[in-house]
C-alpha cells in the first residue's frame, strides 16, 4: 500500500535560520508531489508541485524553494526563515486510484 | 476549476445524519465533485468523489443533483470524531499541470454529544 511520510512533526526555528522539510512516498512510482502551507486559522495554499525528478513548479513567490532529488522524495527548503514562514506544512501525492490527493501528517513550523 | 459555496459552519447531534451542502453552479461537464475533511492539526483526508451519479463508500454518501449545480455530503451517523472542516472541491480528473487541488474555506462541522 502507498504511504507518505513527513518529518519532523513540529519545529521551532529562529528567524534567519535555514529550513529543510522532507517528504517521502512509498509504494508508488513517479508520483505527482505537492507542498501546501496552512497559516494559523487560514486555508491551504499550494506552494510547489512536482511531476518528476528535478521538475519543480512554484505557485507563489516566496522565501521558500523545493527540490525533488529522487522519484519519491520531495524537500522544502529556505536559506533564511522569516516570521511569516510560520505555519502548518503539508506534503501530498496524487493518488491515481481516485485522482485525489493523499496528504502527509504535516509539520508545524514556528519561526521565533 | 469551478468555485464552490459552502456554509461556514454547521452543528450536528451525535448519532444523527450530518448533511453538508455545496453549491457549484458553474461546474463544467468534465469536472468532478470531491470532498475532503481536515481534522484539527492533521492533513486533509479524502472522503469521496463523483461525477453525476450518487456515490457511497464506507465513510459517506455523495448526492449530486441532476443538473450538477449542487451536492450534499452525508455522514449517516455522525460521531464526535467527525468534527472537522469539510471541503467541497470541483476539478477535472487527472493530474495535468493546471489541475491543482484548490481549497476554499470549507464548512466547520461540530458534532455535539
Amino acid at each position: 500500500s502507498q504511504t507518505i511520510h513527513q518529518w519532523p512533526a513540529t519545529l521551532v526555528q529562529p528567524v534567519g535560520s535555514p529550513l529543510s522539510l522532507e517528504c517521502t512516498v512509498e509504494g508508488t512510482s513517479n508520483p505527482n508531489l505537492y507542498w501546501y502551507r496552512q497559516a494559523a486559522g487560514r486555508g491551504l495554499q499550494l506552494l510547489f508541485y512536482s511531476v518528476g525528478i528535478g521538475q519543480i513548479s512554484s505557485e507563489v513567490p516566496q522565501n521558500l524553494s523545493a527540490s525533488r532529488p529522487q522519484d519519491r522524495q520531495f524537500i522544502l527548503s529556505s536559506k533564511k526563515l522569516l516570521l511569516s514562514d510560520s505555519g502548518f506544512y503539508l506534503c501530498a501525492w496524487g493518488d491515481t486510484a481516485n485522482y485525489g490527493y493523499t496528504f502527509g501528517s504535516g509539520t508545524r513550523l514556528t519561526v521565533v | 476549476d469551478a468555485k464552490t459555496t459552502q456554509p461556514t459552519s454547521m452543528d450536528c447531534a451525535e448519532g444523527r445524519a450530518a448533511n453538508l451542502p455545496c453549491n457549484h453552479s458553474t461546474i463544467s461537464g468534465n469536472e468532478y465533485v470531491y470532498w475532503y475533511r481536515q481534522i484539527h492539526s492533521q492533513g486533509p483526508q479524502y472522503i469521496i468523489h463523483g461525477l453525476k451519479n450518487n456515490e457511497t463508500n464506507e465513510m459517506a454518501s455523495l448526492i449530486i443533483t441532476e443538473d450538477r449545480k449542487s451536492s450534499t455530503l452525508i455522514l449517516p451517523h455522525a460521531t464526535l470524531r467527525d468534527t472537522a472542516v469539510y471541503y467541497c472541491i470541483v476539478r477535472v480528473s487527472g493530474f495535468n499541470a493546471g489541475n491543482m487541488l484548490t481549497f476554499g474555506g470549507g464548512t466547520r462541522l461540530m458534532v455535539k454529544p
Side-chain angles (χ1 to χ4, degrees):
Chain A
S1 64
Q2 301 92 343
T3 56
I4 182 168
H5 301 280
Q6 260 190 268
W7 65 91
T10 60
L11 192 59
V12 180
Q13 292 283 102
V15 169
S17 63
L19 173 73
S20 180
L21 301 180
E22 188 162 344
C23 171
T24 59
V25 182
E26 295 179 358
T28 186
S29 60
N30 196 32
N32 284 9
L33 297 174
Y34 309 85
W35 277 111
Y36 282 83
R37 177 172 62 195
Q38 187 172 36
R42 308 290 294 275
L44 286 95
Q45 178 187 35
L46 178 64
L47 301 176
F48 301 95
Y49 69 92
S50 171
V51 299
I53 296 174
Q55 300 179 62
I56 307 295
S57 295
S58 174
E59 288 295 297
V60 293
Q62 58 216 320
N63 185 43
L64 304 169
S65 62
S67 62
R68 187 165 175 178
Q70 301 181 43
D71 181 45
R72 288 170 284 180
Q73 183 184 32
F74 203 21
I75 298 172
L76 183 70
S77 305
S78 174
K79 292 182 179 179
K80 290 185 178 181
L81 283 169
L82 306 172
L83 288 174
S84 58
D85 292 323
S86 294
F88 190 42
Y89 288 82
L90 289 155
C91 179
W93 71 279
D95 187 345
T96 54
N98 55 29
Y99 287 109
Y101 288 24
T102 297
F103 286 82
S105 54
T107 295
R108 187 162 303 281
L109 171 67
T110 303
V111 182
V112 296
Chain B
D1 290 346
K3 289 185 177 180
T4 62
T5 303
Q6 298 177 253
T8 304
S9 63
M10 292 181 63
D11 290 345
C12 178
E14 188 179 19
R16 305 296 294 269
N19 298 292
L20 292 92
C22 179
N23 287 323
H24 31 79
S25 59
T26 60
I27 191 170
S28 300
N30 62 345
E31 288 184 312
Y32 287 72
V33 180
Y34 281 82
W35 282 85
Y36 285 77
R37 73 178 181 184
Q38 186 176 21
I39 296 170
H40 182 63
S41 295
Q42 298 183 24
Q45 176 190 24
Y46 165 85
I47 301 174
I48 198 167
H49 77 289
L51 183 63
K52 58 176 73 172
N53 297 321
N54 298 337
E55 302 287 344
T56 296
N57 63 20
E58 65 278 3
M59 289 183 68
S61 294
L62 174 60
I63 308 299
I64 303 174
T65 58
E66 191 170 346
D67 64 7
R68 300 207 328 120
K69 292 185 177 182
S70 66
S71 60
T72 301
L73 178 74
I74 301 173
L75 307 179
H77 305 287
T79 69
L80 297 178
R81 290 180 296 177
D82 291 322
T83 293
V85 178
Y86 288 77
Y87 297 98
C88 169
I89 301 164
V90 293
R91 59 187 282 266
V92 296
S93 184
F95 294 119
N96 299 320
N99 180 25
M100 298 299 111
L101 198 64
T102 303
F103 289 84
T107 295
R108 185 172 298 277
L109 176 68
M110 179 73 71
V111 180
K112 299 184 175 181

